[in-house]
Amino acid sequence: MDTRIITIDGPAGAGKTTTSKMLSKKLNCVYVDTGALYRGVAYEIQQQNIQWENDEKLAHFLKNLDLQFVLQKGEFVLQSYGQDITGFIRTPEIAMLASASSAKPLVRAALLGIQRGIAKIQDAVFEGRDMGTVVFPDAAFKFFLVADLFVRAQRRFDEMPEAKRNLETVEQEMSRRDTNDYKRKEAPLKPAQDAITIDSSHLTIEEVVQKIIKIIENT
Ligand code: DC
C-alpha cells in the first residue's frame, strides 16, 4: 500500500470518532467513519422495508445499493442514491439495526470495496470494528480503543441533546450492541494482533490523541 493508513477500532463510545477526527486533522489526512456505511445500509433497509434476514432478498437489495462517500470541504458525507443521508443515520434504532445487519457476510462483502477504494488513493484514518483485522491488515498503525461500559454509556448519553432515553437504557442498548459486535462470526470486534490497545476510561480525548501521536512519531 502506498498510502498511509491508520486504523482505530473499538466498541461504541470508546472515543473513536473524536479521536480519529482530531488525529486526521493533525496528520493532515482524511477521516473515514466506516460505521456510517453500516448505518447507511440499515437506513435503506428501514426505508425500503427489506427483509434483510433472508439472504436472497438481502442480496437483491445490496445489488441495487448506491452508497457513496463524497468529499465536501475536506470531509466525507454519506450519500445514498445521490442524497446526503448523514443527518438521518444517528438514531438509536439505526445503530441497533446496523449492529444486527452488519453480522451478515453479504453486507460486509458489499462494503469492502468502498473502504479499500478510498485507502488506495489517499492517506486516511479509518474508524470501525474490523479495520485492523479484516479491511486493512497491512495498515501502518493500528489502535484499539476501549473504555468501561458505564463511561461509554455516560459519554453517549451526554451527546444526546434532547435526551429521549435515560442513562440506564443507553447503557443497556450499548451492552446489547457490544454483544452483537464482539460475538458475531464474521469480522467480530477484536484487536488485531499488532494493534495497540488504549483504555480511554480515565483519559481525555486530547490525552488519547497525544498518546497515539507519540507512538506514530516514535515508530
Ligand atoms: O461505529 P458505529 O457505532 O456508527 O457503528 C454502527 C454499527 O455498525 C456497529 O454497532 C457495528 C457496525 N460496524 C461494523 O460492523 N463494522 C465497522 N467497521 C463499523 C461499524
Side-chain angles (χ1 to χ4, degrees):
M1 213 184 291
D2 295 333
T3 50
R4 181 165 75 163
I5 301 305
I6 295 168
T7 62
I8 313 270
D9 290 305
K16 300 189 301 293
T17 302
T18 324
T19 301
S20 304
K21 278 187 180 167
M22 282 174 78
L23 194 61
S24 70
K25 290 227 164 74
K26 284 197 197 278
L27 299 176
N28 199 20
C29 65
V30 292
Y31 154 67
V32 187
D33 168 16
T34 63
L37 290 173
Y38 289 91
R39 285 171 184 262
V41 168
Y43 172 76
E44 286 300 341
I45 285 176
Q46 196 187 53
Q47 289 294 302
Q48 299 177 37
N49 203 10
I50 304 296
Q51 288 173 276
W52 60 271
E53 282 167 357
N54 174 321
D55 274 355
E56 218 172 289
K57 295 207 162 108
L58 180 64
H60 182 256
F61 158 74
L62 290 169
K63 223 165 107 191
N64 296 316
L65 192 71
D66 179 22
L67 277 181
Q68 273 183 3
F69 272 127
V70 179
L71 260 186
Q72 278 180 12
K73 295 184 195 143
E75 285 188 15
F76 280 120
V77 298
L78 186 66
Q79 289 189 352
S80 181
Y81 305 104
Q83 192 208 349
D84 182 354
I85 59 163
T86 319
F88 306 130
I89 59 174
R90 296 277 145 216
T91 68
E93 291 77 18
I94 293 287
M96 202 53 85
L97 184 53
S99 178
S101 56
S102 66
K104 284 279 191 187
L106 283 173
V107 170
R108 308 204 71 82
L111 300 179
L112 203 58
I114 302 179
Q115 300 168 74
R116 290 194 177 147
I118 296 172
K120 246 189 211 159
I121 52 172
Q122 59 213 310
D123 294 352
V125 176
F126 276 86
E127 170 200 338
R129 301 291 188 290
D130 61 337
M131 297 297 99
T133 50
V134 175
V135 183
F136 302 113
D138 299 329
F141 296 96
K142 300 178 182 177
F143 297 93
F144 195 80
L145 287 194
V146 294
D148 299 340
L149 175 63
F150 174 75
V151 174
R152 294 189 285 122
Q154 183 73 54
R155 284 179 187 159
R156 199 41 56 91
F157 179 74
D158 290 344
E159 283 166 12
M160 295 175 170
E162 60 306 330
K164 291 196 188 109
R165 280 167 157 65
N166 61 35
L167 180 58
E168 206 184 12
T169 311
V170 174
E171 190 172 330
Q172 280 165 2
E173 286 178 347
M174 204 166 242
S175 163
R176 265 179 35 222
R177 214 139 70 84
D178 279 0
T179 307
N180 283 346
D181 297 350
Y182 276 111
K183 298 262 166 76
R184 69 178 175 227
K185 266 206 201 113
E186 187 85 4
L189 171 59
K190 67 170 180 195
Q193 271 188 344
D194 50 349
I196 295 167
T197 296
I198 299 175
D199 186 338
S200 74
S201 303
H202 306 291
L203 297 175
T204 64
I205 295 299
E206 286 77 12
E207 287 170 329
V208 174
V209 174
Q210 277 313 316
K211 253 181 191 274
I212 292 179
I213 295 272
K214 228 185 211 167
I215 291 167
I216 292 175
E217 282 174 352
N218 292 332
T219 306

